[in-house]
Amino acid sequence: MSLTLLDFPTLVRTDVWFSDGNVVLIAGSAAFRVHKGQLERHSEIFQDLFSVPQPEGQLLFEGCPWVELHDSPSDILHLLHALYDGLYFDKPSGDDFPAIAGVLRLSTKYMIEHLRQRCLVRLTTDWPSTLAGWDAREKVATDKDGRYGPREAYPHPLLVISLALELGITDVLPSAYLDLARYGPRRIVSGTPLPQPVISSVPLTGTKDCLEGKSRVLNSSRTPATDEEDILVPSHAELSAILRGREVGQRHIAMFIENELVSRPISGRCFNKHHDAGRACRESTYFVMLNILRAIGGISHGRDADPLFTLTQVVEMLGRTDFTDGVKQCGLKMCAACKMDVEECVVAARKDVWEQVPLWFDLGPWKGSKEEVVLDAEDSEEIARAI
């Protein structure tokens, strides 16, 4: 006996429904008619699933065997679109995250390695583990007019943290924590709305249409309306780590200003050292310090408590020509040698910040970093002593 959608009035036929498909996947309230061969070709799990002998007299669904999957219908839809249409990203976009998360989640579960790797590459590019990668990421999020819009290019970091913890993708956590720590405390605590599912996980209405023989098709680009949004908020432990890291980062910048800008000596190669003991260079450094303090850690540029951006501003000021001496616009009167010393100091400071970022959030050092090697050596000595 073959059943049809008329026998399941609350079941929705999705847009992944091939007339020549030979198996129906059912997840929640959604049905997908696909090809066994397409799934078996990419997944050993599906190979094993379809190889299980079916009992005699099993009911068919529109002439096809059917399998119930206990996964999110939206995730199944994203996975099938990726298998049939490919997984392509023209440019970074926060709107891509539901598809990336869904495909990564199920490609991991069903061992579809090529899709899993594509998702991981995208995820680790957007949430890098290198300073060069972070700088490239920030450049993408800044338009030609200098406007910084990270949420247009990348999803909210809480969504990434949640996915990373779910799937054990620890490499992206420091970048996500750093991004989140740049929010003000109130915004951090408020969390972010969870992406609305493309397909609801609960039975949908539409019984009348089904009974009249009109199978309902749900467009994958349309989200069912809901009265209230589900909000993802940081846990107590996450919130504690985020606020602690934010505080440590601000303290780190305060120490940089105190140690490297306040009363900074002129370079030994200073071109102005014979002119009033390099006063022009010392005053320029003081002017840079005042402007950094006025920027309040980047908040005037939409980056609250951003130590890496604050350090970048120091170098940018050295090359600016839009300052004023009260009469005309001009640049700093700092000599080239002193500028080079400040730039080298900032480069070293930014590297130091990046190395410490994971430690600020109690995540342990970057993989392969000097700190990790030192910790591993200490762990080995501890084990040796215990033995």
Side-chain angles (χ1 to χ4, degrees), residues 222-252:
R222 188 172 300 171
T223 300
T226 55
D227 295 330
E228 295 183 2
E229 291 182 313
D230 291 326
I231 304 297
L232 176 65
V233 297
S235 67
H236 183 274
E238 290 168 345
L239 184 59
S240 177
I242 293 162
L243 294 179
R244 176 185 178 278
R246 190 176 191 277
E247 179 184 341
V248 174
Q250 290 177 309
R251 191 159 59 241
H252 193 93

Side-chain angles (χ1 to χ4, degrees), residues 10-226:
T10 58
L11 200 61
V12 176
R13 188 182 75 183
T14 68
D15 61 359
V16 182
W17 188 271
F18 298 96
S19 59
D20 63 342
N22 55 7
V23 66
V24 173
L25 305 180
I26 297 177
S29 59
F32 312 84
R33 185 168 179 171
V34 293
H35 306 89
K36 283 185 180 181
Q38 178 73 350
L39 301 180
E40 292 175 330
R41 179 171 181 264
H42 297 288
S43 169
E44 293 182 6
I45 303 298
F46 279 115
Q47 287 180 21
D48 294 340
L49 181 64
F50 295 145
S51 66
V52 176
Q54 300 301 310
E56 290 186 16
Q58 183 192 22
L59 296 176
L60 301 179
F61 193 101
E62 298 204 357
C64 298
W66 57 278
V67 176
E68 184 176 9
L69 301 177
H70 299 282
D71 301 300
S72 158
S74 295
D75 287 357
I76 292 289
L77 184 68
H78 290 310
L79 178 69
L80 293 175
H81 277 169
L83 283 173
Y84 277 95
D85 305 327
L87 193 62
Y88 304 105
F89 309 111
D90 294 333
K91 60 180 181 180
S93 172
D95 293 337
D96 291 337
F97 183 75
I100 294 170
V103 174
L104 181 57
R105 194 177 283 118
L106 294 190
S107 63
T108 300
K109 176 178 179 179
Y110 293 110
M111 299 175 63
I112 307 175
E113 191 60 23
H114 75 285
L115 290 181
R116 181 174 181 274
Q117 288 303 319
R118 283 191 68 85
C119 291
L120 286 176
V121 168
R122 173 62 188 274
L123 204 61
T124 54
T125 299
D126 291 350
W127 306 90
S129 57
T130 66
L131 180 56
W134 179 265
D135 288 340
R137 169 198 194 274
E138 296 295 89
K139 186 176 180 180
V140 169
T142 306
D143 65 19
K144 61 181 180 180
D145 298 321
R147 186 181 66 88
Y148 184 61
R151 296 293 75 85
E152 295 175 15
Y154 310 108
H156 193 286
L158 267 177
L159 298 174
V160 178
I161 292 170
S162 177
L163 179 68
L165 293 175
E166 175 189 347
L167 300 180
I169 310 170
T170 57
D171 289 355
V172 304
L173 285 175
S175 289
Y177 272 91
L178 176 62
D179 191 10
L180 184 56
R182 299 185 297 178
Y183 281 30
R186 190 194 310 185
R187 290 183 66 193
I188 294 173
V189 173
S190 298
T192 184
L194 285 166
Q196 290 296 311
V198 178
I199 306 175
S200 175
S201 296
V202 297
L204 304 178
T205 58
T207 303
K208 184 175 182 293
D209 286 344
C210 289
L211 290 175
E212 292 174 351
K214 301 173 184 177
S215 58
R216 301 180 62 228
V217 177
L218 184 66
N219 190 320
S220 62
S221 64
R222 188 172 300 171
T223 300
T226 55

Side-chain angles (χ1 to χ4, degrees), residues 301-313:
H301 292 74
R303 309 189 195 193
D304 183 13
D306 188 338
L308 289 170
F309 180 68
T310 299
L311 292 170
T312 299
Q313 284 183 296

Side-chain angles (χ1 to χ4, degrees), residues 346-365:
V346 168
V347 168
R350 293 186 84 245
K351 289 180 179 178
D352 181 52
V353 165
W354 187 256
E355 285 297 317
Q356 294 190 47
V357 162
L359 305 179
W360 291 354
F361 301 104
D362 295 326
L363 296 173

